[in-house]
Amino acid sequence: MRTFPVRLVLLVAPFVTNPWLAAAQTPAPAAAQPNAPREVRRLTVDDAVRQALEHNLGVQVARINPQIQDFSIAQYLAAWSPSLTTSMANTHNETPSNSFLSGATGASTTDQRLQSNVSLRQNLKWNGASYSIGWDNARSTTNNVFSSFSPQVNSSLSLSISQPLLRNFSIDNLRQQLEVGRKNRDISDLQLQSSILTTQRAVRHAYWELAYAYEALKVHQQSLDLARESLRNNRARVEIGTMAPIDIVEAESEVAQREEAVIVAEATIERSEDTLRALIYDPAAPDFWTFRIEPSDRVPFEPVPVNVDAAVSNALEKRTDLRESRKTIEANDVSIKYFKNQTLPEVNAQFDYGLSGLGGVQSIRGEGFPGPIIGTTQRSYGSVLADVFGNSFPKWTLTFNVSYPLGDSQEETSLARARLQNSQSQTQLKNQQLQITTQVRDGARSLTTNQRRVGSPAAARALAQRRLEAEQKKFAAGQSTSFFVFQAQR
């Protein structure tokens, strides 16, 4: 039969990367359709791959993963964005007088305070440092005779810088998460590439399975035609008395078996169509399940030499699963670096610097306690700001904080576990490389063997054709039986 070499090529083709596919010569015959004619879509294998990359749901899902990782990285980067905070409060407080030292001029002491605050905080990407800047302003009034200002205006400016010197200096939790997030982003790209390659391979396999199903139907239909022709010949011989009626039963049985084979082949076409349809077309289309698919490409056989060492080297370098494993190991290395840093003593330096100014209506007192108010002076809010930004009343503090756990720490346990997991990943990578090398060598061996086998089926087919012709001639001469003719046909 002519389709045997084609089937062999279909079995051999997945083992090589060289293109064996050529332009179509003639379309495959369509399966018999009991219903009304349906739309027929003829497409090449390259068209099928392009349709799959556009519509395949698995590829669409895989395309979303890199976008999700982009948002994760943006989330990590947001930790270094400055944060601006502002607040305003108005406070009124009346306290009953319980002694002459309370300072009240009446039955109670009344304080009124309006306060506003603006602060800016940010974690820096460099060496784990952070800073905060705060600007406070307040205006207060009181009837307390001991107060020198009423109303009183305050303004202060503060700056605080914190810098780790050992732990969190070279890497901290934020930088570790960012680096791991970037590795995961690379892994999601590799997973997308793997999904695309897997889909392309599945589409090509489904395409050629459908092409083979059409060819198989053609063969079974030819076989059925031969059986029917034999049945007609047997009936003619029975009518003229040269053959016993019992010989018709064998021919009818053979026709029934080959009709069943045609029915199964038609069902195989529909099944193969659905497999390819689900891979390459949009399931939301209204005619998704109604149209027929006919492959227009054929598979010419072209022997391809295989360089096993080059194929193994190429697989070990470019296989997406290996590259994904290497990226996972790189992410583990980042975690090990972080946990190792966390085992260091925590030594932090903090520098605080502040400026302040005071103004308002100041009472001038005479002699005595608390002394009568003999006059007032006024310092405007502008004078207060001049004191602040003129560095008139500075204050600063430099602090060193040291912390070190006694005994085993949680960080040391995390470091030991991360190192063990990294060793496990390294071993898994070596196992993957061994398995892939074995797969490539086996695939190359199968390809070479099948290429050498192609000539034998072609010769066997020619000899089988000659045997059938000879058996038919012997049957016509009465020297053979239907049993041997049917054997030759099969």
Side-chain angles (χ1 to χ4, degrees), residues 225 313 402:
D225 293 341
S313 299
V402 180

Side-chain angles (χ1 to χ4, degrees), residues 169-227:
F169 180 79
S170 60
I171 187 172
D172 56 12
N173 183 256
L174 293 178
R175 283 175 283 176
Q176 184 246 357
Q177 290 181 346
L178 177 61
E179 289 301 318
V180 172
R182 286 172 173 167
K183 299 299 180 184
N184 290 335
R185 176 63 170 80
D186 294 339
I187 290 175
S188 65
D189 282 339
L190 293 174
Q191 290 173 343
L192 174 58
Q193 295 177 25
S194 177
S195 177
I196 291 175
L197 292 174
T198 301
T199 301
Q200 289 178 335
R201 182 169 60 248
V203 168
R204 292 180 183 276
H205 179 76
Y207 182 92
W208 295 121
E209 283 295 321
L210 179 58
Y212 172 74
Y214 274 111
E215 293 293 336
L217 175 61
K218 180 180 178 181
V219 172
H220 288 302
Q221 188 64 55
Q222 291 174 345
S223 178
L224 176 59
D225 293 341
L226 287 173

Side-chain angles (χ1 to χ4, degrees), residues 444-484:
R445 188 181 303 110
S446 299
L447 173 60
T448 302
T449 301
N450 288 332
Q451 288 183 152
R452 296 171 59 186
R453 290 174 56 196
V454 168
S456 297
R461 181 212 169 277
L463 294 174
Q465 180 69 31
R466 292 172 59 186
R467 177 192 172 195
L468 174 59
E469 294 171 355
E471 203 65 43
Q472 287 175 334
K473 291 179 180 178
K474 290 169 62 179
F475 180 76
Q479 298 178 355
S480 182
T481 64
S482 299
F483 173 78
F484 294 108

Side-chain angles (χ1 to χ4, degrees), residues 102-114:
S102 63
T105 57
S108 63
T109 301
T110 302
D111 296 306
Q112 183 80 21
R113 184 178 181 84
L114 178 62

